[in-house]
Amino acid sequence: MSHSNAEKKTKRDAREGGKKKDSSESLLTVVIAFAANLAIAIAKSLAAVITGSASMVAEAAHSWADAGNEVLLLIAERRSKRPPDRRHPLGYGKDAYIWSMFAAFGIFTAGAVVSIQHGIQSLLQPEAATDYLVAYIVLGISFVLEGISFVRAYIQARENAHSRNAHTLEHVLESSNPTLRAVFAEDAAALVGLVIAFAGICLHQLTGDPVYDAIGSILVGVVLGVVAVVLISRNRAFLLGEAIDEPTRQAALRRLLERSDIERVTYLHIEFTGPGEVLLIAAVDLAGDSVEADVALLLRDIEREIIAEPAIGRAILTLSTPDEESLLPLPS
C-alpha cells in the first residue's frame, strides 16, 4: 500500500472511529436521561395523587413527556445512522431532526400545555394540598436524578465545545447533534421546573393559599414552552438545510486553496446532512491545462480525498468558468 493510500485509510478509520464514539456517547446520554425520567415520572405521579399539588401534577406531566421524548430520541439515533442507498444518496442523517422535532412537539403538548391548563384550572377551582413532606422528598430525589442526567449531557457538550473552541451553551444551540441539544435542554428545564415547583408548594404551605401552587404549575408550563419552541426552531433550521458557521467555511476554503492542484475556488457551499456530517459543493479552477478525461479523473480523486476528512459525508466538485469571481479567505 502506498503512503498516500495508507494516509487516506488512516483518515477514514479515524473518521469512522470518531462517528462511533460520538454516537455511543449520545446513546448513553439518552439512556441515562430515559432511566432518570421514567423513575422520576412514577414518583411524581404518586406524589401528585397523595398531595393534590398542582405544581406536582405539572411536574409529573413534564417527566412523563420527557420519558416519552427519550424514546423518540433513541429512534432518532438509530434511524439516522442508516447508510446511504439509491433513493437516499446523502444518507438518513436528517431523520435525527425529524424525530427530534416530534420530541419537541411532545414537550410542548404533553408538558407545556398540560401544565398551564392544570395551573389555570387550579386557579379557578383551588384545592387544598396535603402531605407536603412527600412532595419535598420526591422533589429532592428528582433533583438528584435530573442532576445526574444533566451532568452527563453537560460533560458531553463541554468536550465537544472544547474541540471547537466554543462556549458550551453556544455549542449546544449551534450543534448539529439534536439528541445532545434535546437532552441538555430538557434536563436544564427540569431542574428549573423543580425549583419553581418547590417554591410554589412551599409558599402554599406557608400561606395556606393554593394560588402559589397553581402559579408554579403555570410557570413550569411556560419554561417547557420556551424550551420546546427553541428545539423546534433549531430542528427546523437543520431540516431546511443549515450551512456550517463562517469560521469553519473559511477554514475549508483555505484547505482547498492550499492544494497544489487547485488554483482558485469560485463557489463553496457546505451544509449539514445529519449530526456531525456535511455535504461540500465547490466550483474550482484546476492547475494546468489537462484534457477533459484527465480533468474528470482528477476531480474524482480530489473528491475522494476530501470525503476522507472527518465530518464530510459527500463532496461534489465542478469546474469554474473564467468569468467567475474567485473566493478569497478572510484574514485570520
Side-chain angles (χ1 to χ4, degrees), residues 68-81:
N69 291 340
E70 310 309 337
V71 175
L72 295 177
L73 294 177
L74 288 171
I75 295 174
E77 277 290 307
R78 182 178 179 83
R79 293 181 67 88
S80 65
K81 302 306 177 188

Side-chain angles (χ1 to χ4, degrees), residues 4-288:
S4 177
N5 289 336
E7 185 179 1
K8 290 178 186 177
K9 183 178 185 302
T10 300
K11 286 183 177 180
R12 283 195 300 268
D13 291 345
R15 174 186 171 193
E16 293 302 319
K19 281 186 178 180
K20 289 179 180 178
K21 181 176 181 293
D22 290 343
S23 178
S24 61
E25 286 181 349
S26 295
L27 181 62
L28 179 59
T29 299
V30 176
V31 169
I32 291 174
F34 173 74
N37 282 317
L38 183 61
I40 292 169
I42 294 173
K44 286 180 180 177
S45 297
L46 293 174
V49 172
I50 294 172
T51 64
S53 166
S55 294
M56 192 58 71
V57 171
E59 280 297 306
H62 176 189
S63 294
W64 281 114
D66 281 353
N69 291 340
E70 310 309 337
V71 175
L72 295 177
L73 294 177
L74 288 171
I75 295 174
E77 277 290 307
R78 182 178 179 83
R79 293 181 67 88
S80 65
K81 302 306 177 188
R82 289 179 294 173
D85 53 37
R86 191 173 67 176
R87 297 192 64 183
H88 300 88
L90 296 180
Y92 291 82
K94 289 191 175 182
D95 229 0
Y97 305 119
I98 295 173
W99 287 94
S100 296
M101 181 81 84
F102 292 158
F105 281 123
I107 296 175
F108 188 83
T109 55
V113 174
V114 170
S115 298
I116 293 174
Q117 181 182 18
H118 186 76
I120 293 174
Q121 182 180 353
S122 297
L123 281 176
L124 298 176
Q125 298 176 340
E127 295 181 5
T130 57
D131 295 312
Y132 294 101
L133 180 60
V134 173
Y136 294 141
I137 292 174
V138 170
L139 289 176
I141 294 173
S142 299
F143 196 89
V144 172
L145 293 177
E146 291 286 7
I148 292 172
S149 179
F150 178 75
V151 168
R152 168 63 201 178
Y154 179 81
I155 290 174
Q156 183 184 350
R158 186 181 61 182
E159 290 176 351
N160 295 343
H162 181 72
S163 66
R164 294 181 57 239
N165 295 319
H167 189 274
T168 301
L169 184 58
E170 176 190 2
H171 171 71
V172 170
L173 290 174
E174 297 181 357
S175 172
S176 63
N177 186 340
T179 301
L180 173 62
R181 179 166 43 251
V183 174
F184 187 98
E186 288 175 8
D187 288 345
L191 292 174
V192 173
L194 287 168
V195 173
I196 293 173
F198 175 84
I201 294 172
C202 185
L203 288 172
H204 184 179
Q205 181 182 14
L206 292 175
T207 65
D209 191 346
V211 169
Y212 295 105
D213 201 359
I215 292 175
S217 178
I218 294 173
L219 290 178
V220 169
V222 171
V223 170
L224 293 178
V226 171
V227 169
V229 169
V230 171
L231 293 178
I232 290 170
S233 175
R234 295 304 295 139
N235 284 308
R236 175 179 175 272
F238 282 100
L239 285 172
L240 287 174
E242 175 115 332
I244 63 171
D245 58 276
E246 188 59 26
T248 305
R249 181 179 179 275
Q250 289 294 319
L253 177 59
R254 292 189 186 94
R255 290 289 297 274
L256 288 173
L257 292 173
E258 287 170 359
R259 296 183 61 95
S260 59
D261 45 16
I262 294 179
E263 286 192 348
R264 64 194 188 103
V265 177
T266 60
Y267 177 80
L268 179 61
H269 175 73
I270 309 175
E271 75 171 56
F272 287 99
T273 56
E277 190 161 273
V278 299
L279 164 69
L280 183 148
I281 303 174
V284 300
D285 189 3
L286 298 176

